[in-house]
Amino acid sequence: MKKLSLFQTDIVWADPKANRQKAEEMMLSAEKSDVYVLPEMFSTGFATQPEGIAETADSDTLAWMKQMADRLDAAVCGSVAVEDGGKYYNRFYFVKPGGGVSVYDKKHLFTYGGEHLRFTAGDKPLRVEWRGLIYNICICYDLRFPIWSRNDGDTPYDVQIYVASWPETRRGAWDTLLRARAIENQCYVAAVNRVGDDPACHYNGGTCLIDPYGKTVAAAEDSKTEAITAEIDIEELNRFREKFPVLKDGEKTTIVR
């Protein structure tokens, strides 16, 4: 069994120091885990106008994530608004103890909110192996594009991580699509959303862990700052995949146009 801790935080607008401090308090108070997951742009809030808000690629926030990974002897992850080489990215960091950092730049920028006007989209997916499990990484709007997160029958990932700033007005889509991603990809889904308000939206959470059957393993209370910890049963996942080979059968599908 591996444990994940998911942090549903109320993010202080454009104040990385305050947000790191609050996240650190929650992480140190949480149950000991293998992976600690923070929301989208957890250090600043979701900023579509990143000038003066985005952090540098070698930011204090990334240094803090490395420190916490060492302190907790666990992976620490979440996305940060980053300025790198004159461009802005919504960048996910998966940080392991010892300083190992894997990076994913958000592929699907949220055009409805204007994210595409200032940020540059990534073009490479990220899968990370950590303590015997493979994690696939996505950020917020990526959730609406199932082909981007399609699992593989030969080398499947075990856990899909979604971090988000997903507003209450579209909460129904969040709940429905997370369950669909778990079922269709025959994997666990670890989803972390924020609560509270920013200059544009109100957020009421929906942080949860969903199993490959589409059932909720654990969930945070709506509209509450809260950490939840739950276990990944990899043996049960492997038995399910062997008994009901959805992923391998999906590779046999031929589309005729």
Side-chain angles (χ1 to χ4, degrees), residues 28-83:
L28 293 176
S29 298
E31 188 175 343
K32 175 64 178 171
S33 297
D34 297 285
V35 182
Y36 294 73
V37 189
L38 295 159
E40 179 183 26
M41 293 193 189
F42 71 86
S43 65
T44 59
F46 182 65
T48 57
Q49 302 289 331
E51 293 83 0
I53 294 177
E55 303 182 72
T56 61
D58 58 348
S59 66
D60 289 342
T61 294
L62 179 57
W64 170 81
M65 294 176 77
K66 293 178 180 179
Q67 292 168 4
M68 292 303 295
D70 287 342
R71 187 173 181 181
L72 296 165
D73 187 30
V76 173
C77 56
S79 98
V80 180
V82 170
E83 187 277 321

Side-chain angles (χ1 to χ4, degrees), residues 4-256:
L4 275 68
S5 285
L6 313 179
F7 296 88
Q8 182 168 281
T9 63
D10 185 352
I11 301 170
V12 180
W13 181 250
D15 192 339
K17 184 176 181 180
N19 291 314
R20 291 193 301 266
Q21 182 176 346
K22 178 59 177 177
E24 183 170 332
E25 292 171 359
M26 293 178 68
M27 293 163 75
L28 293 176
S29 298
E31 188 175 343
K32 175 64 178 171
S33 297
D34 297 285
V35 182
Y36 294 73
V37 189
L38 295 159
E40 179 183 26
M41 293 193 189
F42 71 86
S43 65
T44 59
F46 182 65
T48 57
Q49 302 289 331
E51 293 83 0
I53 294 177
E55 303 182 72
T56 61
D58 58 348
S59 66
D60 289 342
T61 294
L62 179 57
W64 170 81
M65 294 176 77
K66 293 178 180 179
Q67 292 168 4
M68 292 303 295
D70 287 342
R71 187 173 181 181
L72 296 165
D73 187 30
V76 173
C77 56
S79 98
V80 180
V82 170
E83 187 277 321
D84 189 0
K87 295 181 179 181
Y88 294 102
Y89 299 93
N90 187 341
R91 180 165 291 173
F92 187 104
Y93 293 117
F94 192 104
V95 182
K96 300 178 182 178
V101 180
S102 298
V103 170
Y104 166 66
D105 292 328
K106 187 179 181 182
K107 166 66 174 176
H108 299 97
L109 300 178
F110 190 49
T111 58
Y112 182 79
E115 187 180 17
H116 67 298
L117 299 176
R118 295 289 188 274
F119 285 82
T120 298
D123 60 2
K124 296 180 177 61
L126 176 63
R127 292 187 182 180
V128 182
E129 191 281 329
W130 174 239
R131 290 182 177 167
L133 299 182
I134 298 175
Y135 296 85
N136 190 62
I137 307 303
C138 283
I139 301 173
C140 203
Y141 195 42
D142 287 332
L143 177 61
R144 291 184 180 267
F145 303 92
I147 293 175
W148 183 246
S149 59
R150 185 62 182 160
N151 213 343
D152 186 300
D154 291 327
T155 56
Y157 61 78
D158 305 303
V159 183
Q160 171 82 68
I161 292 178
Y162 286 99
V163 298
S165 290
W166 197 286
E168 182 181 20
T169 53
R170 293 184 287 277
R171 173 66 186 276
W174 168 260
D175 294 337
T176 301
L177 294 175
L178 289 173
R179 203 169 304 280
R181 296 297 89 83
I183 294 169
E184 71 193 8
N185 291 303
Q186 210 170 32
C187 69
Y188 283 87
V189 165
V192 181
N193 192 29
R194 64 162 295 180
V195 294
D197 298 276
D198 64 19
C201 295
H202 175 69
Y203 306 89
N204 72 338
T207 297
C208 60
L209 182 70
I210 300 171
D211 74 12
Y213 299 92
K215 299 177 181 178
T216 301
V217 177
E221 183 178 337
D222 284 358
S223 301
K224 180 181 178 181
T225 298
E226 186 176 9
I228 60 170
T229 299
E231 292 183 334
I232 300 294
D233 189 341
I234 188 62
E235 293 182 358
E236 171 57 27
L237 174 58
N238 289 335
R239 284 194 295 268
F240 180 36
R241 286 175 172 172
E242 183 176 352
K243 179 181 178 181
F244 189 43
V246 172
L247 299 181
K248 289 187 178 296
D249 287 346
E251 293 182 339
K252 301 172 186 177
T253 302
T254 300
I255 300 175
V256 179

